[in-house]
Amino acid sequence: MKNLFDNVAKDFTKYRSGYPNKFYKKLEQDYNICLQDQKVLDIATSNGLAARDLARRGCFVTGIDNSPELINEAKNTYSESLNIDYILGDVTKLPFGNELFDVVTAVHCWEVLPKKEASKEALRVLKNSGKFVVSQFDQLPIGNNIVSQTEKLVSKYNTEWNSQNSYGFYPQWIEEIYEVGFSNIETFTFDVTTTYTHDEWKGRMRTGADIGGSLSRDDVLLFNKELDNLLKSNYSGELLEVPQRMFSIVCEKKIRV
């Protein structure tokens, strides 16, 4: 599987601020996930945002990613003592035995993963009745807001990029996961508004799969400069209010009889 985001690994730590607390409360209250002492595998863990959140809730977490730079960021940036083991590896060839984990999570990464292979591996390493969580946290292009304007700029620099007008919903993922063998599939969504400074918005955009995960270092810098000009020209205030949607699929490994 191709390495992504090496050029912008340090931006992940600085500009990726994590996921809403409501997301974890929903997993705990409705699906018995994020419980004390659960063994969780966080695939494509990036710089460990979700892994740290899960560990802070008492889980024993293993985070795996194929980017050495991101794994180093995950290991070295935060000094707090948490039950996390970060491993460099391929999510399509997980270096674990069968039926080891209570939960496997894939948070804001599923778009760029080989879905069938990753799903099969998640199924393999889960214990019977283990849960698989696939979640995406997207900015919403509404009208001519900053998200819509930024997406136009993204398409200028990355001609292969296609937003697919998903608006934060991914029903096609459900069928793909079901075909691999998961059952009891449910989904939930909710919207929040996130506040960004201009600098935070530029950093957040640089860490997107369509920019930092696709373009050369020089093109990332050119994109960043043009986005900076857009913000200065169209947004006099320093703070941006950005609508975002959390979309999640929760499913279960069938009990063998």
Side-chain angles (χ1 to χ4, degrees):
M1 181 182 162
K2 182 182 176 183
N3 250 347
L4 301 175
F5 307 113
D6 291 348
N7 288 336
V8 292
K10 291 190 180 299
D11 281 342
F12 271 77
T13 299
K14 190 172 182 180
Y15 297 109
R16 289 287 184 108
S17 57
Y19 306 103
N21 191 47
K22 182 177 180 178
F23 167 60
Y24 299 103
K25 286 186 175 180
K26 182 79 173 175
L27 292 178
E28 181 179 357
Q29 293 172 1
D30 292 0
Y31 302 101
N32 292 322
I33 296 171
C34 304
L35 302 183
Q36 186 77 26
D37 296 335
Q38 281 185 329
K39 291 185 65 176
V40 181
L41 173 64
D42 186 44
I43 63 173
T45 194
S46 179
N47 68 326
L49 279 178
R52 287 190 296 276
D53 288 340
L54 292 162
R56 288 171 183 139
R57 286 163 171 77
C59 299
F60 293 93
V61 183
T62 300
I64 187 168
D65 202 284
N66 73 340
S67 167
E69 289 80 3
L70 286 174
I71 287 294
N72 285 337
E73 286 294 305
K75 288 180 177 179
N76 298 331
T77 304
Y78 295 87
S79 59
E80 60 185 301
S81 179
L82 294 171
N83 290 314
I84 307 177
D85 185 20
Y86 290 113
I87 294 175
L88 182 66
D90 189 339
V91 301
T92 67
K93 300 175 182 178
L94 293 173
F96 310 111
N98 298 338
E99 300 179 7
L100 291 179
F101 296 95
D102 301 301
V103 179
V104 175
T105 56
V107 184
H108 203 74
C109 61
W110 203 241
E111 279 188 307
V112 299
L113 296 185
K115 297 172 182 57
K116 185 175 182 180
E117 293 87 345
S119 296
K120 285 183 175 179
E121 281 292 86
L123 187 71
R124 180 181 66 80
V125 301
L126 274 171
K127 299 176 183 178
N128 290 333
S129 299
K131 303 291 179 60
F132 183 36
V133 181
V134 174
S135 296
Q136 189 76 8
F137 191 46
D138 285 343
Q139 297 90 14
L140 300 178
I142 299 174
N144 195 36
N145 69 353
I146 183 58
V147 182
S148 299
Q149 293 183 57
T150 303
E151 285 189 351
K152 292 177 184 177
L153 193 57
V154 170
S155 64
K156 173 182 175 180
Y157 281 86
N158 185 347
T159 57
E160 296 181 358
W161 175 73
N162 180 7
S163 69
Q164 300 177 341
N165 294 316
S166 65
Y167 293 94
F169 293 111
Y170 299 89
Q172 69 275 19
W173 294 353
I174 301 170
E175 182 176 358
E176 294 166 352
I177 291 170
Y178 180 80
E179 289 177 351
V180 168
F182 284 100
S183 61
N184 298 332
I185 298 176
E186 297 186 18
T187 66
F188 67 85
T189 63
F190 62 85
D191 291 2
V192 299
T193 298
T194 305
T195 301
Y196 294 86
T197 65
H198 287 192
D199 186 55
E200 288 168 345
W201 181 250
K202 288 182 293 181
R204 179 62 185 81
M205 291 302 100
R206 290 196 300 272
T207 62
D210 38 22
I211 297 299
S214 302
L215 304 182
S216 69
R217 186 185 300 272
D218 288 344
D219 283 341
V220 171
L221 292 175
L222 288 172
F223 167 83
N224 187 73
K225 183 176 181 180
E226 193 161 350
L227 179 56
D228 181 59
N229 291 335
L230 170 67
L231 290 168
K232 289 177 178 176
S233 299
N234 294 7
Y235 295 89
S236 57
E238 175 62 16
L239 295 180
L240 305 166
E241 290 191 347
V242 178
Q244 298 196 236
R245 176 165 294 147
M246 177 65 81
F247 170 83
S248 297
I249 302 169
V250 182
C251 50
E252 188 174 61
K253 181 174 182 176
K254 295 178 181 178
I255 301 175
R256 293 180 181 175
V257 294

